[in-house]
Amino acid sequence: MNNNPVLARSILWSFIFFAFVSWPAALQAGWPTTPDSALFVDFGLYPYLAVDEHDQSITVVYIAEANRLLAKKYDRYGDPLWGGNAVVLADTTRLFGVDLSNLGNQWGAVVSDDSGGAIVCWEDFRHASFDGGLPLNNEIYLQRVDVNGQVRYGTNGRRISTPASEGWHELGDMKPDYHGGFVVGYYGDTTMYAGALKRFNINGNLMWERYFREGFNLDVNATDIDGNIFVSYGGAFGQPNRRMKLNLNGDFLWPDTLDGKIPGSKLYRGGGAFSDGQGGAIGVGDLRLKINRVDSTGQYVFGPNWIDLGGGQQVIIGYAPDGVGGIYVAWINNGSRLQRVTANGSISFIQGGLIIVPDSLSGFNFIVPDEENGVVFLGVDKRNQPINSLYAQRVDSTGQLLWDSTGIEFHSSSQNLFFANSARSFYPDKRGGAVYVWVQQAAGFGARVMLKQISHNGILGEVITSLQEKRNGAKKFKDITLNSIFPNPFNGLTTIEFSINESGHVRVEVYDILGKMINTLIDHRLYPNTYRVKWNGTSNSGESVNSGIYFCRLSVDTKNAIIQKLVFIK
């Protein structure tokens, strides 16, 4: 009888996998299933979303009357969590009394805490002074709400900037660091034009901070699973434009003399630049269809003139990564248009962009990844006026429209729809579909925050729970390939290289010979690509392990797994 615990663990995982894929795959639950219906969240304004990578639960954060910042949570079936109650993140923000149109309707950022909750960062006006209704100063605050609906950073959040008395602060962005924490970038600290970049752990403890003397317009462009943090700043009051890459320790990896920003948009926070999966980033500039990529050393890949898709100023709304180092861009110019630029700078669709919505029908558009290197599109469609309508479409990497040729009617209403102009309001549901939150004006009832979902198959309210329910030729199993572990045996550091062919939640773990988990190297959602992760012979707590035999386990969505022996020699 074989008593090898690692083998037993593998057999158990195989049993769980085959049991999982036999479950019913599509369930109709709390989500509305018709174009004229939507989930009513609460009365409020400026809603943002965050979707958890593990259970696909959805946190909606919005501004309510009495200066409160609130959050509600729903499971992936659209059923309310936290007893259906709103959690008060802060009740003295004065956000409701500020005309956010002067701030581009952008008040903050929301990211999943990767543990079933969410982290919120915002520009706070509780201590601000005003002149003619316009705030003259403010502060930057943080709050975390956990999986149980408990706030973790104090009753009214935690201030992370200098006080309002020292001037104006503007949030650049907040992004997860993919290693149990998050980074926040803003300017206005110490002096009016000093940029600040700060990394926090999930408990809100400051791990390090870096300041940029010429840090006006500081923005966090992108982060990646290798711990790289991409930052741009400058460009005002005679300041030079600069781009920078830092690691998880706050070390600067590029020289501070690189002229020009990483392409990205502060106008619509949450979009504009993405990791290219190779230590660099790719993005599109503010209001112009110009795209460039920076490599791992900080050099522009597409040259100093960038790739110009449209010539001149355009209304750019949508951005999404293509999953293999390229980028999708959606904009409005005689219709809603879409273009894809690959990692090597090739244009994928027809010149001038693929038309998703014809000329007279377009209003705005958002796009998010569909988990298969394509995108889900959402935009205003005026074909049914005076009825206000939202239409959705899914497009693959070759430019094929995968749903009905005229799109899927996502929502329609005779009431006024105040569509959010932030990429944080339209979010991938982590199953190939998307979730959208918006504000709808009902006569006599004020502004109502509404929520709705569409599946990977273009069906309203369908909840996909297994891969075989993804139509349009999706693979039954998600493939993972272990390319190499080198060196092996090793006495200091070994590199594990692997590839995945479909998006999924990837875990790379190290076990000892008794089957005890020693270290989790990766526990995040990844797109199809080749990845490398290093192990230095330490445990999750940072302690050095003993010499001996260990096992590396790679899995996608806890289904199919590869196990490979490691030999560690001190």
Side-chain angles (χ1 to χ4, degrees):
M1 180 177 179
N2 194 327
N3 293 316
N4 189 322
V6 176
L7 178 61
R9 182 182 295 271
S10 300
I11 294 172
L12 176 61
W13 277 109
S14 299
F15 174 80
I16 292 173
F17 166 63
F18 285 112
F20 177 82
V21 299
S22 67
W23 291 348
L27 303 175
Q28 300 287 350
W31 291 117
T33 59
T34 60
D36 60 353
S37 59
L39 287 182
F40 169 61
V41 177
D42 202 350
F43 296 102
L45 292 171
Y46 309 114
Y48 287 172
L49 287 176
V51 179
D52 188 79
E53 295 279 356
H54 298 282
D55 61 10
Q56 296 94 50
S57 59
I58 299 146
T59 303
V60 182
V61 181
Y62 55 99
I63 302 168
E65 290 185 291
N67 295 309
R68 297 177 301 163
L69 188 62
L70 303 181
K72 276 193 171 183
K73 189 175 180 67
Y74 297 83
D75 65 19
R76 64 179 178 177
Y77 303 107
D79 294 322
L81 301 174
W82 300 341
N85 298 316
V87 173
V88 179
L89 305 179
D91 62 7
T92 58
T93 66
R94 293 180 73 180
L95 276 167
F96 198 90
V98 175
D99 182 4
L100 293 180
S101 63
N102 291 299
L103 305 176
N105 295 330
Q106 311 291 300
W107 55 265
V110 182
V111 299
S112 168
D113 69 358
D114 214 24
S115 300
I119 298 166
V120 186
C121 186
W122 71 93
E123 297 173 12
D124 192 282
F125 299 89
R126 70 187 71 177
H127 299 129
S129 55
F130 290 79
D131 182 8
L134 296 176
L136 299 177
N137 45 32
N138 64 350
E139 297 161 326
I140 306 294
Y141 269 73
L142 281 177
Q143 181 61 281
R144 177 185 169 219
V145 55
D146 67 17
V147 64
N148 299 313
Q150 302 296 313
V151 293
R152 292 299 184 181
Y153 299 166
T155 303
N156 281 306
R158 180 178 302 165
R159 177 173 60 82
I160 64 170
S161 69
T162 51
S165 60
E166 296 191 18
W168 180 262
H169 303 81
E170 182 169 323
L171 179 64
D173 209 346
M174 172 179 65
K175 293 189 184 296
D177 64 14
Y178 300 106
H179 290 265
F182 56 97
V183 290
V184 179
Y186 62 93
Y187 70 87
D189 248 4
T190 308
T191 66
M192 180 64 180
Y193 308 117
L197 181 70
K198 301 184 180 184
R199 181 177 178 227
F200 301 86
N201 63 20
I202 195 173
N203 296 318
N205 298 321
L206 179 65
M207 304 181 72
W208 50 257
E209 56 189 347
R210 300 291 182 266
Y211 288 93
F212 303 82
R213 184 178 60 184
E214 298 177 329
F216 192 84
N217 284 332
L218 186 139
D219 193 14
V220 183
N221 299 108
T223 54
D224 65 24
I225 64 166
D226 293 323
N228 294 313
I229 303 164
F230 301 92
V231 177
S232 295
Y233 58 91
F237 303 103
Q239 297 178 351
N241 287 310
R242 293 287 186 250
R243 58 188 183 274
M244 184 61 63
K245 183 169 79 169
L246 297 86
N247 62 20
L248 288 175
N249 296 320
D251 301 321
F252 292 92
L253 304 180
W254 293 345
D256 62 2
T257 56
L258 294 178
D259 187 37
K261 294 184 177 182
I262 296 169
S265 176
K266 278 170 57 62
L267 181 62
Y268 301 101
R269 290 181 186 150
F274 307 96
S275 164
D276 66 1
Q278 302 177 47
I282 187 170
V284 58
D286 286 333
L287 289 179
R288 294 186 182 276
L289 294 178
K290 290 190 175 182
I291 294 172
N292 214 328
R293 178 177 155 225
V294 289
D295 64 17
S296 60
T297 67
Q299 302 303 308
Y300 285 134
V301 177
F302 303 157
N305 295 324
W306 301 23
I307 294 175
D308 192 339
L309 296 181
Q313 185 163 306
Q314 306 285 346
V315 179
I316 304 174
I317 304 290
Y319 318 91
D322 71 356
V324 287
I327 190 172
Y328 289 93
V329 182
W331 72 97
I332 299 170
N333 184 13
N334 296 321
S336 294
R337 297 172 180 264
L338 179 71
Q339 187 59 270
R340 176 186 175 219
V341 177
T342 66
N344 63 12
S346 299
I347 306 299
S348 295
F349 304 155
I350 62 173
Q351 187 68 30
L354 185 70
I355 297 179
I356 307 298
V357 179
D359 180 20
S360 61
L361 307 180
S362 61
F364 78 91
N365 38 227
F366 294 138
I367 51 175
V368 294
D370 72 349
E371 308 293 322
E372 293 182 1
N373 304 124
V375 290
V376 178
F377 166 94
L378 182 71
V380 176
D381 195 306
K382 302 176 182 178
R383 72 185 76 174
N384 297 323
Q385 284 190 331
I387 301 297
N388 297 299
S389 297
L390 292 168
Y391 271 74
Q393 181 60 269
R394 182 169 156 243
V395 184
D396 71 13
S397 59
T398 67
Q400 295 298 310
L401 305 183
L402 299 179
W403 295 341
D404 187 282
S405 60
T406 60
I408 302 295
E409 190 173 14
F410 181 82
H411 188 71
S412 61
S413 174
S414 59
Q415 300 168 346
N416 291 325
L417 307 180
F418 297 100
F419 306 109
N421 69 344
S422 170
R424 301 195 191 282
S425 300
F426 188 49
Y427 215 94
D429 67 1
K430 309 301 181 182
R431 300 180 306 280
V435 185
Y436 183 54
V437 65
W438 72 96
V439 173
Q440 187 164 305
Q441 181 72 41
F445 292 99
R448 299 158 62 90
V449 177
M450 313 298 289
L451 182 67
K452 202 166 187 175
Q453 176 259 7
I454 190 168
S455 77
H456 179 86
N457 301 320
I459 299 175
L460 296 174
E462 180 187 47
V463 178
I464 292 176
T465 61
S466 72
L467 293 177
Q468 45 283 51
E469 283 303 301
K470 286 187 178 181
R471 301 176 189 141
N472 303 316
K475 295 181 180 178
K476 184 175 181 180
F477 303 110
K478 295 183 177 180
D479 297 327
I480 185 168
T481 301
L482 176 60
N483 299 326
S484 65
I485 299 180
F486 183 83
N488 189 22
F490 70 102
N491 63 2
L493 191 70
T494 189
T495 299
I496 303 160
E497 181 180 292
F498 63 95
S499 303
I500 59 173
N501 296 331
E502 280 195 35
S503 299
H505 194 97
V506 174
R507 291 180 66 91
V508 180
E509 301 160 305
V510 177
Y511 290 83
D512 66 16
I513 198 167
L514 299 178
K516 177 183 176 183
M517 201 273 286
I518 300 298
N519 202 327
T520 300
L521 305 179
I522 293 179
D523 185 13
H524 300 288
R525 191 171 202 84
L526 299 180
Y527 294 104
N529 210 335
T530 297
Y531 298 91
R532 288 171 293 277
V533 61
K534 300 181 186 297
W535 184 47
N536 60 358
T538 60
S539 66
N540 274 328
S541 62
E543 298 177 355
S544 179
V545 300
N546 295 324
S547 298
I549 295 175
Y550 295 85
F551 295 89
C552 174
R553 183 180 187 277
L554 295 87
S555 65
V556 181
D557 289 340
T558 70
K559 298 177 185 176
N560 46 337
I562 296 174
I563 297 176
Q564 178 67 41
K565 182 173 72 173
L566 297 167
V567 179
F568 178 52
I569 303 173
K570 284 190 174 180

